[in-house]
Amino acid sequence: MFSDDLDKALATFVLANGAAATGAKVTIFFTFWGLNVIKKVSKPKVSKDIFGKMFGFMLPSHSGKLSLSKMSMFGAGDKMMRHIMNNKNIESLENLRQMAIDAGVEFIACQMSMDVMGVDKAELLDNVTIGGVATYMQRADEANVNLFI
Amino acid sequence: MFSDDLDKALATFVLANGAAATGAKVTIFFTFWGLNVIKKVSKPKVSKDIFGKMFGFMLPSHSGKLSLSKMSMFGAGDKMMRHIMNNKNIESLENLRQMAIDAGVEFIACQMSMDVMGVDKAELLDNVTIGGVATYMQRADEANVNLFI
Amino acid sequence: MFSDDLDKALATFVLANGAAATGAKVTIFFTFWGLNVIKKVSKPKVSKDIFGKMFGFMLPSHSGKLSLSKMSMFGAGDKMMRHIMNNKNIESLENLRQMAIDAGVEFIACQMSMDVMGVDKAELLDNVTIGGVATYMQRADEANVNLFI
């Protein structure tokens, strides 16, 4: 999960949950903008350098702030999409993410992306572990299905 | 095929046709915006709720309306790309799609996306079948090459 | 590599280098906008038709001109990202690309994309070879990990 688009995050968790339902071991590696998908709503205060503060200011502070890749319309489209999904009895992004956690889907945050964007482990969901490209490659090598989203 | 960008749709069908040419069994799963790639030009009248009407109004009504992911320039770039491809004797998106159908490439539309966007099966090309994440996972598990586009 | 976003190009080379470090054979197939990632800074003069000239004028002329997929802010975000990476001692895109070349990562440029965009082989880095969808499919079929970026 490289992106932080609301629609792509939905697809990611639907796929992860679908795969986990078949009994498969599933890992999601969150890198670059994807870190915004797994930030806590209530984050502890952590010290940041000037760049970390800028990223913190400009990027979505948690999954509730994510935008659609298309038709976001300054947030109106995002609200509409969430409203429609609720209306059609489809689980919210946050519920789908929790279902993934409950199903044992592994969440790994990219160390390099955290360094670049000044994100602290304490700002990420509790189940998240940290890894690098070697961790990703090891998981990908073992996987039968592997996507860049 | 998650996206409905003209350029990514072209890549999808070129890849699908290339794989089919090697004798491989090919499936394209159209989800989210990707549904716009397989809508009929002349669609039967179907009843839609308010959301379905809004999506129908805002989204590309068929493949001829797709935009490039870059340099679309309110349609001028899209027209230019189609003109250049024609000029260089490269098949159009619609021809590439038909070639895929003729080569037996399986088209599956995502049930959940159809529900969310209020798309009816009658609005999609005749060869399209309907499936969900379990269908996708089953095909992906059997596949040697699998991409999220 | 379909995209020419600075962030996605960084991810591509980090992944390629990470895979090469494990001893794996790695190929990157550059198609569509991805051609902009492997253009020479100092390009020889080549004759172009009107479309080739237009693409040459509108597209990034080399990797130093690439933009982030988000927060590019007319180039300010791109500069900031490069500054931060340098500040955190992360290799630049150009260094990561050179490391990939030195590690024997194979670079293949898409013939059809070159035709459409009027890009000449002489404008691409010296290590680049040319191929089509059949070349891609052959490499992908042999690969264990395969991503559309």
Side-chain angles (χ1 to χ4, degrees), chain A residues 2 4-5 8 32-33 49 51 54-55 58-59 112 115-117 133 136-137 140-141 143 146-148, chain C residues 7-8 11 14-15 18-19 69-71 73 80-81 83-85 87-88 90 144-149:
Chain A
F2 174 91
D4 65 353
D5 296 321
K8 293 189 180 168
F32 233 97
W33 318 109
D49 64 13
F51 304 122
M54 282 176 70
F55 276 119
M58 290 189 290
L59 293 175
M112 190 193 287
D115 289 348
V116 168
M117 303 201 182
V133 63
Y136 170 79
M137 275 298 157
D141 251 344
N146 179 37
L147 302 167
F148 184 94
Chain C
D7 43 355
K8 293 189 181 169
V14 168
L15 287 166
S69 66
K70 296 192 171 219
M71 287 186 22
M73 300 178 291
M80 193 179 86
M81 179 59 69
H83 178 77
I84 293 173
M85 288 176 60
N87 200 271
K88 311 251 179 195
I90 298 171
N144 197 22
V145 176
N146 179 38
L147 302 167
F148 184 93
I149 303 185

Side-chain angles (χ1 to χ4, degrees), chain C residues 62-76:
Chain C
H62 60 80
S63 67
K65 307 280 191 183
L66 301 185
S67 301
L68 292 169
S69 66
K70 296 192 171 219
M71 287 186 22
S72 172
M73 300 178 291
F74 303 100

Side-chain angles (χ1 to χ4, degrees), chain A residues 93-110:
Chain A
L93 174 59
E94 288 70 25
N95 283 359
L96 290 166
R97 188 180 60 191
Q98 187 58 48
M99 289 161 65
I101 295 171
D102 294 343
V105 172
E106 184 183 34
F107 287 19
I108 307 181
C110 171

Side-chain angles (χ1 to χ4, degrees), chain A residues 15-121:
Chain A
L15 287 166
N17 291 337
T22 70
K25 166 134 184 49
V26 182
T27 298
I28 312 178
F29 189 84
F30 297 86
T31 188
F32 233 97
W33 318 109
L35 292 178
N36 302 325
V37 180
I38 48 171
K39 286 182 185 163
K40 281 178 183 155
V41 176
S42 303
K43 283 178 276 294
K45 191 97 183 149
V46 294
S47 79
K48 304 216 179 199
D49 64 13
I50 177 72
F51 304 122
K53 280 174 187 156
M54 282 176 70
F55 276 119
F57 179 73
M58 290 189 290
L59 293 175
S61 64
H62 60 79
S63 66
K65 307 280 190 181
L66 302 185
S67 301
L68 291 169
S69 65
K70 297 192 172 219
M71 286 187 22
S72 172
M73 302 178 289
F74 304 100
D78 313 329
K79 284 218 180 76
M80 194 180 84
M81 179 60 69
R82 285 183 177 267
H83 178 77
I84 294 172
M85 287 176 59
N86 185 51
N87 200 271
K88 310 252 179 193
N89 292 315
I90 298 172
E91 300 288 346
S92 70
L93 174 59
E94 288 70 25
N95 283 359
L96 290 166
R97 188 180 60 191
Q98 187 58 48
M99 289 161 65
I101 295 171
D102 294 343
V105 172
E106 184 183 34
F107 287 19
I108 307 181
C110 171
Q111 178 75 68
M112 190 193 287
S113 303
M114 291 173 66
D115 289 348
V116 168
M117 303 201 182
V119 173
D120 193 280
K121 188 180 186 312

